[in-house]
C-alpha cells in the first residue's frame, strides 16, 4: 500500500513519500512566481565549519573503517555510551508503563494498514528525519531478504547547502510550524531548525528536529483536519531537506548483529524500502538515549518534549517488550 496524500482541504500536493518530480515542479513554480527572500535569519551562519558537516564523498577510508569498527565494538553496550534511556511509549497492553525499547519491524502482514500511522512498522521507504532524544541506538536482530539500507546524512551539510542556495527555506524552517500530535498529544507550534550561537563553553550549532509524517500524515493517521494546512513554502522545505540529505547521504548495509549509534541532533537518517520473506524479516531494536554531562543544550521549544521522554524513567520502571507492537503514538 502506498503512502497517501492526506490531510485537510488546502494541503499542498505532498505525500509522506517524497516525489522528486513534484518537488522540482514546486521549486520551479515558486522561483518563477514568488519573490523569495535572499537573506538568512539574523545570527544564522552562512556556513558551518565543522567536522560535523560531512558528506559521503568527503569520508575517507579511515573514517569508513572507524564506522565499521564502531558497529563491531559497541554491540550490547548502550548503557556505557549514555546514561539515560527515553520513554518511547507511556503504556503497554493498555496500562501505564515506561517503555524504553521499540521493535522496528514490518507489521503489515499482521495488521491492517488503517491501524498503522508510521513507516517504521512497514516495508516502505522511510524519508530522512530525526527521532526524539539526543542519541539513537539501533540493533539489528535480523536483516531483510532484500533492500532496507540505512542512510545517514549530516544535517549541518544540508544546512550549509540550503543556506548558500535557498536562504528563504532556512527562514521557513526557522519559523513556527504546526506539528501534528494526531490526537495522541497536543499539537505544538515550533521551528524545525534551531540556531545556537557560540558561547564560552560551546561552539556554534544548528539543530534540525522533524518527522515528515507530522505534516503529511501517514496511512491510518492523516494530518488532523483542525490544523492549518502546511504552506507551499513548507512543502518545498520538507522536500528540500529530504533530497539534499539524499544527495550527501552515506548508505550503510545494516546486517544482523550490527549496532548503530546516531547523534540525533546533527544527523538525519532514513531507510530504503525492503522486502521480507517468511524466513527472512528485517527486525531492529531501538533506544533513545541521553547523557546529561555531554548533552547539547536542548532548544527551549523542545524542552517540554524532552521532559516527557526522560523525566521519571527510573531503571526499576523501565520496560523492554519482547514482542513487536506499534507505539500508541503511531497507531490509529
Amino acid at each position: 500500500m502506498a503512502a497517501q496524500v492526506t490531510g485537510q482541504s488546502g494541503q499542498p500536493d505532498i505525500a509522506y513519500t517524497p516525489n522528486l518530480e513534484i518537488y522540482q515542479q514546486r521549486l520551479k513554480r515558486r522561483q518563477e512566481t514568488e519573490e523569495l527572500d535572499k537573506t538568512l535569519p539574523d545570527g544564522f551562519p552562512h556556513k558551518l565549519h565543522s567536522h560535523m558537516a560531512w558528506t559521503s564523498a568527503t569520508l575517507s577510508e579511515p573514517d569508513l573503517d572507524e564506522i565499521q569498527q564502531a558497529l563491531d565494538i559497541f554491540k550490547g553496550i548502550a548503557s556505557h555510551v549514555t546514561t539515560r534511556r527515553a520513554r518511547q511509549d507511556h503504556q503497554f497492553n493498555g496500562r501505564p508503563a515506561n517503555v524504553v525499547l521499540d521493535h522496528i519491524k514490518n507489521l503489515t502482514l499482521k495488521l491492517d494498514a488503517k491501524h498503522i500511522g508510521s513507516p517504521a512498522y512497514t516495508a516502505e521507504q522511510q524519508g530522512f528525519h530525526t527521532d526524539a532524544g539526543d542519541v539513537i541506538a539501533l540493533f539489528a536482530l535480523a536483516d531483510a531478504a532484500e533492500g532496507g539500507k540505512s542512510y545517514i546524512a549530516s544535517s549541518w551539510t544540508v544546512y550549509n547547502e540550503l543556506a548558500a542556495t535557498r536562504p528563504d527555506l532556512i527562514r521557513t524552517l526557522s519559523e513556527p510550524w504546526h506539528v501534528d500530535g494526531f490526537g495522541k498529544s497536543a499539537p505544538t507550534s515550533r521551528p524545525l531548525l534551531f540556531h545556537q550561537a557560540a558561547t564560552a563553553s560551546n561552539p556554534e550549532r544548528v539543530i534540525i528536529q522533524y518527522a515528515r509524517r507530522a505534516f503529511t500524515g501517514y496511512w491510518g493517521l492523516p494530518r488532523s483536519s483542525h490544523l492549518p494546512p502546511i504552506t507551499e513554502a513548507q512543502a518545498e522545505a520538507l522536500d528540500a531537506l529530504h533530497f539534499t540529505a539524499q544527495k550527501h547521504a552515506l548508505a550503510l548495509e545494516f546486517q544482523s548483529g550490527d549496532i548503530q549509534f546516531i547523534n540525533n541532533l546533527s544527523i538525519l537518517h532514513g531507510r530504503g524500502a525492503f522486502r521480507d520473506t517468511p524466513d527472512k524479516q528485517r527486525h531492529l531494536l531501538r533506544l533513545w538515549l541521553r547523557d546529561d554531562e555531554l548533552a547539547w543544550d536542548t532548544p527551549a521549544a523542545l524542552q517540554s518534549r524532552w521532559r516527557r521522554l526522560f523525566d521519571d524513567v527510573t531503571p526499576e520502571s523501565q520496560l523492554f517488550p519482547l514482542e513487536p507492537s506499534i507505539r500508541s503514538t503511531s497507531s490509529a
Side-chain angles (χ1 to χ4, degrees), residues 43 195-200 202-205 297:
H195 172 246
Q196 296 179 334
T199 66
N202 293 316
E204 182 176 39
R205 293 170 175 149
D297 292 338

Side-chain angles (χ1 to χ4, degrees), residues 22-245:
I22 292 175
Y23 166 54
Q24 291 173 332
Q25 290 173 352
R26 178 177 287 114
L27 184 156
K28 183 174 184 292
R29 182 174 64 251
R30 293 194 66 232
Q31 288 182 326
E32 290 176 348
T33 62
E34 298 181 37
E35 189 172 336
L36 303 177
D37 203 312
K38 294 181 171 56
T39 62
L40 293 169
D42 290 344
F44 277 61
H46 290 281
K47 186 173 184 178
L48 291 161
H49 298 277
S50 170
H51 66 279
M52 291 191 179
W54 52 266
T55 75
S56 59
T58 60
L59 290 174
S60 64
E61 284 299 324
D63 291 327
L64 297 175
D65 289 343
E66 183 179 349
I67 292 172
Q68 184 58 55
Q69 290 169 12
L71 292 176
D72 295 336
I73 292 172
F74 288 135
K75 292 179 180 179
I77 60 170
S79 61
H80 297 283
V81 176
T82 62
T83 57
R84 299 176 68 186
R85 300 187 186 103
R87 177 189 295 109
Q88 296 195 53
D89 206 346
H90 65 278
Q91 63 182 42
F92 182 72
N93 287 340
R95 295 184 176 183
N98 288 331
V99 180
V100 298
L101 178 76
D102 194 25
H103 294 256
I104 309 301
K105 196 172 190 293
N106 175 21
L107 299 179
T108 58
L109 297 179
K110 296 181 178 180
L111 298 173
D112 191 288
K114 67 182 181 182
H115 298 302
I116 298 176
S118 169
Y121 308 109
T122 76
E124 286 201 327
Q125 172 192 3
Q126 196 166 14
F128 282 94
H129 64 286
T130 60
D131 281 12
D134 298 49
V135 176
I136 308 166
L138 292 170
F139 173 50
L141 287 179
D143 46 334
E146 182 181 5
K149 281 187 178 180
S150 173
Y151 295 94
I152 59 174
S154 165
S155 58
W156 290 31
T157 296
V158 171
Y159 173 89
N160 281 346
E161 180 158 326
L162 294 181
T165 61
R166 292 296 304 276
D168 60 298
L169 294 183
I170 296 295
R171 283 188 173 274
T172 297
L173 292 166
S174 67
E175 295 167 350
W177 293 49
H178 293 286
V179 183
D180 202 343
F182 299 108
K184 314 290 183 174
S185 60
T188 57
S189 178
R190 65 164 179 85
L192 308 192
L193 169 65
F194 303 90
H195 172 246
Q196 296 179 334
T199 66
S201 56
N202 293 316
E204 182 176 39
R205 293 170 175 149
V206 295
I207 295 173
I208 296 175
Q209 277 286 293
Y210 84 108
R212 185 180 175 102
R213 73 183 184 96
F215 309 102
T216 64
Y218 188 84
W219 286 18
L221 289 179
R223 182 163 166 87
S224 297
S225 59
H226 66 274
L227 291 178
I230 66 172
T231 66
E232 285 288 324
Q234 289 174 330
E236 186 188 355
L238 287 176
D239 280 344
L241 286 175
H242 174 83
F243 288 111
T244 307

